[in-house]
C-alpha cells in the first residue's frame, strides 16, 4: 500500500498569510495526487486533482505542485473561509490512501 | 446538481450488522464508480470500498475485507454497504463519494462529489 505523510499536522496562521502544506508518498505516484478541504461537520471538498489541476470553482489562491513522491499545497493569501483541515490523497492505485491531514488554525 | 444522501447509520452493539444506503441524483449514475469513505471521530479520512460503474469490480480496504460488502443498483441510482461483524473501531461517519468513470476508465481515482455522511456508532 502507498503511505501518504502530510506535514505539518497543524499550522497557525493569520488572514493574508501564505501557507504551504507538504505531502509525501512512500513510492512514486507521478502526478496522481488530489487535495481536499474539510470544514468541521462537513464533507470533504476536492480542491486539486492531478497534483496541480484546480477544480472548477476553486479560488486561484490555491495551488498545487509536485510529482513523484513530494507534493505541496499552497494558499497564497489566506482568507477567513480557508481555516479548515486539508488532506492529500494518492489517486494512483487501490487501496486509495489519504495523508493524516493538516489543520489550518487561526493564529 | 449532484446530490448524494446517505442513510442507515445508527447505534449498534459489537458483532452486529448494519446496511448503509446512498441515494444519488443529478448526474449519470451509471457512469460513475461509487465509494465508501469513513472518518472516525476526530480522525482522518479512510477509504474503505469501491464499486465500478457496471457493478462487477469491487475493492476493499484490508480493515473491512471479509466483513463489509459493497453493492449498487443502477436502476435505483443507489449504492449500499452491508457491514457485518461490526467492531468498536468501525465507529465513524460514513461518506459515499463518486469517481468519474465516464471516459471508460475510472483513472485517476479521485473523489469529485461527496454526501453529507451518516454516523455509525458501535458500542455495547
Amino acid at each position: 500500500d502507498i503511505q501518504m505523510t502530510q506535514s505539518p499536522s497543524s499550522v497557525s496562521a493569520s488572514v493574508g498569510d501564505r501557507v504551504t502544506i507538504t505531502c509525501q508518498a512512500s513510492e512514486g505516484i507521478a502526478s496522481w495526487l488530489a487535495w481536499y478541504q474539510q470544514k468541521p461537520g462537513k464533507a470533504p471538498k476536492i480542491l486539486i486533482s492531478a497534483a496541480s489541476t484546480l477544480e472548477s470553482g476553486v479560488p486561484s489562491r490555491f495551488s498545487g505542485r509536485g510529482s513523484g513522491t513530494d507534493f505541496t499545497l499552497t494558499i497564497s493569501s489566506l482568507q477567513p473561509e480557508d481555516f479548515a483541515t486539508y488532506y492529500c490523497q494518492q489517486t494512483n492505485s487501490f487501496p486509495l490512501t489519504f495523508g493524516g491531514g493538516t489543520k489550518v488554525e487561526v493564529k | 446538481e449532484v446530490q448524494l444522501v446517505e442513510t442507515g447509520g445508527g447505534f449498534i452493539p459489537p458483532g452486529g450488522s448494519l446496511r448503509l444506503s446512498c441515494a444519488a441524483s443529478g448526474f449519470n449514475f451509471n457512469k460513475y464508480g461509487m465509494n465508501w469513505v469513513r472518518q472516525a471521530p476526530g480522525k482522518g479520512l479512510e477509504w474503505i470500498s469501491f464499486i465500478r460503474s457496471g457493478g462487477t469490480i469491487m475493492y476493499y480496504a484490508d480493515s473491512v475485507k471479509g466483513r463489509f460488502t459493497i453493492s449498487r443498483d443502477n436502476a435505483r441510482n443507489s449504492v449500499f454497504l452491508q457491514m457485518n461483524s461490526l467492531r468498536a473501531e468501525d465507529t465513524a461517519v460514513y461518506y459515499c463519494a463518486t469517481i468519474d468513470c465516464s471516459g471508460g476508465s475510472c483513472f485517476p481515482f479521485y473523489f469529485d462529489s461527496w454526501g453529507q455522511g451518516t454516523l455509525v456508532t458501535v458500542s455495547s
Side-chain angles (χ1 to χ4, degrees):
Chain A
D1 298 2
I2 301 173
Q3 309 303 317
M4 306 302 295
T5 304
Q6 257 183 267
S7 62
S9 57
S10 67
V11 57
S12 297
S14 302
V15 172
D17 284 354
R18 182 182 183 89
V19 173
T20 297
I21 298 165
T22 66
C23 180
Q24 186 169 59
S26 61
E27 61 186 78
I29 55 170
S31 296
W32 307 123
L33 184 101
W35 289 98
Y36 302 86
Q37 176 193 67
Q38 186 180 33
K39 296 182 179 178
K42 300 294 186 184
K45 169 192 165 185
I46 187 157
L47 299 175
I48 288 171
S49 61
S52 60
T53 301
L54 215 61
E55 290 295 296
S56 175
V58 176
S60 58
R61 62 182 179 273
F62 290 93
S63 63
R65 296 189 65 179
S67 66
T69 60
D70 296 302
F71 303 86
T72 59
L73 172 70
T74 297
I75 311 171
S76 60
S77 178
L78 198 66
Q79 297 302 298
E81 60 268 31
D82 300 337
F83 292 101
T85 301
Y86 294 85
Y87 294 93
C88 62
Q89 178 231 332
Q90 62 86 10
T91 66
N92 183 72
S93 60
F94 289 93
L96 304 175
T97 47
F98 292 89
T102 297
K103 186 173 184 180
V104 178
E105 302 175 300
V106 176
K107 189 172 188 178
Chain B
E1 179 194 1
V2 171
Q3 197 165 17
L4 299 166
V5 179
E6 301 95 336
T7 55
F11 194 96
I12 192 85
S17 297
L18 207 57
R19 188 187 194 223
L20 305 183
S21 300
C22 172
S25 61
F27 63 101
N28 190 343
F29 185 75
N30 294 350
K31 299 289 189 182
Y32 280 75
M34 298 301 295
N35 299 264
W36 290 95
V37 178
R38 69 183 179 184
Q39 187 169 36
K43 302 297 184 181
L45 300 167
E46 179 189 17
W47 168 84
I48 57 170
S49 189
F50 164 88
I51 186 166
R52 201 184 158 109
S53 42
T56 55
I57 295 175
M58 292 86 82
Y59 299 119
Y60 298 93
D62 285 346
S63 58
V64 305
K65 200 174 293 183
R67 300 187 299 124
F68 291 10
T69 302
I70 192 170
S71 61
R72 65 189 292 161
D73 184 339
N74 286 348
R76 293 165 54 194
N77 285 2
S78 294
V79 61
F80 310 98
L81 187 68
Q82 177 66 43
M83 304 187 295
N84 298 332
S85 303
L86 282 161
R87 306 166 179 166
E89 54 265 35
D90 295 319
T91 294
V93 173
Y94 285 73
Y95 296 100
C96 67
T98 61
I99 290 178
D100 187 355
C101 302
S102 58
S105 166
C106 303
F107 185 84
F109 308 114
Y110 65 89
F111 309 108
D112 49 10
S113 295
W114 298 68
Q116 85 291 346
T118 187
L119 176 62
V120 172
T121 303
V122 184
S123 176
S124 53

